Amino acid sequence: MLLLKTTKLLPKTSLKPRRLHHFSPRPPPPPPPPDPNSITNLILETDQQTLSRTLHNLTEWTPDLVHTLLIRLWNHGPKALEFFNILDCRLTYPLSATAFDYAIDTAARMHDYKTLWTLVARMGERKLGPSPRTFAIITERYVSCGKSDKAVKVFSSMHKHGCPQDLSSFDSFLDVLCNAKRVEMAYKLLKIFRGKFMAALEILKEMVERGLSPTLITYNIMLNGFFRVEQLNEAWKFFLEMKRRKCEIDVVTYTTMVHGFGVKGEVERARKVFDEMIGAGVLPSVATSNALVQVLCKKDDLENAILMFNEMLRKGYIPNVTTYTVIVRGRCNDDNRCEANVQTYNVIIRYYCDAGEIEKGLEVFEKIGEKKSDDLLVAGKLLVEMIGRGFLPRKFIFNHVLNGLLLTDGMRVIAFSFVQGHSHHFRLFPALGRMVRIEILDKAPNFGNSWVIEQACEPSDGRSLVDSGIAELVSSFLSLYDREGVETIGLDDAAARLGVERRRIYDIVNVLESVGVLARKAKNRYTWKGFGAIPSALQTLKDEGFKNNCSGDDGHSSARNSDDEEDDRYSNATYSSQNDKQNPDPGQKPPGSSKFDNRKEKSLALLTQNFVKLFICMDMDMISLDDAAKILLKNGKDPSMTRSKVRRLYDIANVLASMKFIEKTHHPDTRKPAFRWLGIKGKSEICADPMALHVSKKRAFGTELTNTMIKRSKVITKLDGDLGQASKAQFQPQIKCEPMEDEVPRSKFQVDAKTGVKSYQFGPFAPVNVSTLGVSEDNKAKSSHNWESLATTYRPQYHNQALRDLFDHYVEAWKSWYVEVAEKNPVKLIS
DNA sequence: GGATCCCGCCATGGG
DNA sequence: CCCATGGCGGGATCC
């Protein structure tokens, strides 16, 4: 089963299945090679149960190996915890304190605090801690998600967990507090923070009084704190005090000063400190350069900032995310009304992503007003990576970006293959004609029932992925609107979404309306009543039919024999009068109906109702459209009239058929095509149970049957053409419709929006060591292929040489970063 | 050749 | 008058 699944997910050429095969728990169990890479992949691709068993067969666990694996699973929080738990619970291997720290951090990043504290407790049971380091991690995580209060509490209660509050733990905590990244909301948070900082100062004082002597680190953090609370003079005094006390002032101190004064506009003092630093023979760090660049940007001196940046590069400093952020920020004076080249934003977005803050990157993306397709490409790639790493974005972002992708020529194929490659996150609805409906299966609180529906047709050349027809359209239409939250339907909207002309929509809504699914509200507006409204609508039709039959009848108690009158039996006065124009019938025409006489009616709707009545009022089980037309036209003598009616009936029948009201068969005797009434039995049962409705409704209309399956294969075939290797098998597992709540721990898909604790954090430049731990070559080449080409394709047009260089640099960084990610997490895209 | 139904012109009438 | 609506049939396409 494992093999089967994997095979489906991966293109034929992949080596994965073979490797997994190697690991499969069959007798005799082969000795597992201690290759972190393979194990990582194994963990990522194996379901929990199987994994548990498989890991049992691996014996040679070392702390190093475990740590390596945990680091590699850094961006796969749920999997990392799963892995950790298996090791912790099922194996006798004793996990290290560091491993626990990793796990705790992972839980924290997923905001799964319950797990977090469980882990802390377990750590205590095993006499492994928690250590100050553990608490540094926890407090930082709390702070970084805005729960500073909680962080302070946690820090204060350290000793209760058996962890002494020593100076270095205080340093860590202080650092955490000072680094709460809320620059944008600085002012608002300033007061709160000032209180915290002061509280921290108090704690420090106490600690000093208790005989602990602060180190330079503490001083630096404090200094930073003064700047954070905008007490520049205090900072300056503090700095002087440090010098007076003969502190070995280091690069961090200087940088803090340069930065602190610089960003507050005190460029002169910043420069002074910088000069002093050079004079003292202290070598500037990247951070120092960043500070300077930022200061220059602040002065609207972008050119110099860029020069400074280049200077940095020349001197061998490696820019980090801050550098880019600073430069990019420098290009916009106003964060909200930023007119920077959108591509510039890509830099910052990219870097957020590298730092593990993909969600944040996408947020930045959101801020950009107009998005062109190029930018969507970037966003789409982010999205792909993000989900590939196991984090689902919030609904809004997801819909926004994926919709955009599907509407963008170049990205459609990528978006599709992506969705296919991550079928466990989505459900692709079959038989949607030009439409593809994609539902996010997971229902974690943050993204709710996300779903996406978009056009899959090619707007440019007009060629759609699928033959469109009324039946397809209806499927699409129903998919589009048969869901929670749909109240009204705009005709233009429907037409646009379905990619068809307005005229087609009228046909659909008219039929749907006559069976109660829709109700016309105003011009251009229909109200979605839902399938639940069908039974009563049909009942009404039935009553109506019988009533007319019995009371209005001139004596024919049996409907069957009066072919030439059926029409009126099953229609209202309006319809009669219309027909009267064609088939004058003095006996039936009420004179008072003249106000309708010349009015066109929704004959399609009426025809639908009458057609339905044929089934529900009479015991007509099966009827050919020809016959139906004749019946409904009374004495269908006029052949041209009949022809026209038959045409309409085809339209209607198609709609009803795609709703499973009727199905097309052949008459048992004549072998002529005919339609059989399927009725609403199944549907009304479903509707009887309101709970079942939710789940089953979609099943009823989305997952059955053959007719649509055939059509669906057309989609796939077309996609195959586009995607090259898209496998039909990949579509299969998605047909099942399973509610996910119970299977998926909510934390599993929580978005990780925060950076790592400093000690773990690695940006694009850092993890070279990680990336060199090999992976199969073809895998690497394969998965990076797409991205490299994209990176080169979407090179922005910078007019400024410096920026161009910057971008080139960025592209390089990105490439190497991508290769690394690809190794850790082979993307199952089709290239 | 008959079944099917896509397509869109254009009449109509509501607003 | 505008334009939303939808009747209607030519004729392409499928079988």
Side-chain angles (χ1 to χ4, degrees), chain A residues 311-326:
Chain A
E311 181 74 12
M312 272 174 75
L313 291 182
R314 206 169 32 252
K315 287 191 178 164
Y317 291 112
I318 300 172
N320 57 21
V321 60
T322 312
T323 317
Y324 291 93
T325 309
V326 155

Side-chain angles (χ1 to χ4, degrees), chain A residues 81-112:
Chain A
L81 287 183
E82 200 176 283
F83 165 68
F84 181 86
N85 274 328
I86 290 173
L87 282 193
D88 190 41
C89 301
R90 310 256 177 126
L91 295 182
T92 47
Y93 168 75
L95 288 161
S96 68
T98 308
F100 265 98
D101 284 346
Y102 277 126
I104 285 170
D105 195 15
T106 305
R109 286 200 307 147
M110 300 191 306
H111 307 295
D112 186 353

Side-chain angles (χ1 to χ4, degrees), chain A residues 43-263:
Chain A
I43 292 169
L44 287 178
E45 288 165 14
T46 313
D47 66 88
Q48 191 163 0
Q49 270 203 325
T50 318
L51 182 63
S52 168
R53 258 182 291 124
T54 312
L55 289 183
H56 265 297
N57 297 332
L58 305 178
T59 45
E60 299 182 12
W61 295 106
T62 64
D64 273 351
L65 179 59
V66 173
H67 298 169
T68 307
L69 290 175
L70 284 171
I71 290 174
R72 285 178 170 243
L73 293 169
W74 184 245
N75 282 314
H76 304 269
K79 276 290 179 188
L81 287 183
E82 200 176 283
F83 165 68
F84 181 86
N85 274 328
I86 290 173
L87 282 193
D88 190 41
C89 301
R90 310 256 177 126
L91 295 182
T92 47
Y93 168 75
L95 288 161
S96 68
T98 308
F100 265 98
D101 284 346
Y102 277 126
I104 285 170
D105 195 15
T106 305
R109 286 200 307 147
M110 300 191 306
H111 307 295
D112 186 353
Y113 299 109
K114 198 176 161 211
T115 304
L116 186 154
W117 289 109
T118 308
L119 287 170
V120 171
R122 222 190 284 166
M123 209 175 169
E125 290 162 18
R126 316 249 152 124
K127 305 273 185 276
L128 290 172
S131 67
R133 177 189 166 84
T134 314
F135 276 94
I137 292 168
I138 298 173
T139 50
E140 161 144 2
R141 289 299 176 192
Y142 271 121
V143 168
S144 67
C145 69
K147 299 180 179 172
S148 304
D149 287 342
K150 182 72 182 168
V152 173
K153 267 187 212 153
V154 169
F155 182 75
S156 312
S157 68
M158 271 174 73
H159 59 280
K160 288 183 197 158
H161 293 274
C163 180
Q165 284 168 300
D166 61 1
L167 188 62
S168 75
S169 65
F170 176 75
D171 282 351
S172 308
F173 182 54
L174 206 51
D175 196 32
V176 162
L177 280 182
C178 292
N179 278 309
K181 298 177 196 164
R182 290 288 186 274
V183 188
E184 320 83 43
M185 309 163 59
Y187 188 75
K188 198 178 164 193
L189 287 178
L190 189 57
K191 279 188 181 166
I192 305 169
F193 183 74
R194 189 169 281 165
K196 298 247 182 339
F197 181 66
M198 291 311 163
L201 266 180
E202 290 303 312
I203 299 178
L204 176 65
K205 248 186 228 165
E206 269 179 41
M207 294 172 93
V208 172
E209 281 163 14
R210 277 193 271 142
L212 290 166
S213 105
T215 63
L216 180 62
I217 294 171
T218 313
Y219 283 132
N220 284 340
I221 294 169
M222 293 302 296
L223 189 58
N224 190 29
F226 283 117
F227 284 113
R228 288 295 176 127
V229 298
E230 297 185 5
Q231 296 181 331
L232 299 196
N233 287 332
E234 295 298 314
W236 185 251
K237 272 191 260 173
F238 194 83
F239 179 62
L240 294 180
E241 179 72 11
M242 281 172 76
K243 283 202 280 191
R244 203 169 56 80
R245 293 198 187 188
K246 302 268 188 294
C247 270
E248 292 270 325
I249 292 176
D250 66 355
V251 63
V252 177
T253 319
Y254 284 118
T255 302
T256 305
M257 294 293 285
V258 169
H259 180 265
F261 284 116
V263 295

Side-chain angles (χ1 to χ4, degrees), chain A residues 68 136 194 323 418 475 488 544 584 600 639 654:
Chain A
T68 307
R194 189 169 281 165
T323 317
F418 163 69
S475 289
T488 79
E544 197 178 291
K600 274 197 186 177
N654 279 326

Side-chain angles (χ1 to χ4, degrees), chain A residues 694-737:
Chain A
H694 263 64
V695 185
S696 309
K697 176 162 79 173
K698 285 161 186 161
R699 200 192 310 264
F701 293 100
T703 54
E704 301 168 29
L705 59 79
T706 45
N707 189 14
T708 44
M709 294 287 274
I710 293 162
K711 304 273 189 171
R712 187 163 55 81
S713 70
K714 285 194 208 165
V715 183
I716 295 160
T717 313
K718 295 267 173 65
L719 274 173
D720 268 346
D722 287 347
L723 300 176
Q725 308 179 29
S727 151
K728 295 179 189 185
Q730 291 176 2
F731 271 76
Q732 300 304 337
Q734 296 151 1
I735 300 174
K736 65 184 179 206
C737 80

Side-chain angles (χ1 to χ4, degrees), chain A residues 678-688 696 700:
Chain A
L678 295 178
I680 56 166
K681 295 150 220 136
K683 299 178 186 68
S684 50
E685 276 166 27
I686 289 165
C687 296
S696 309

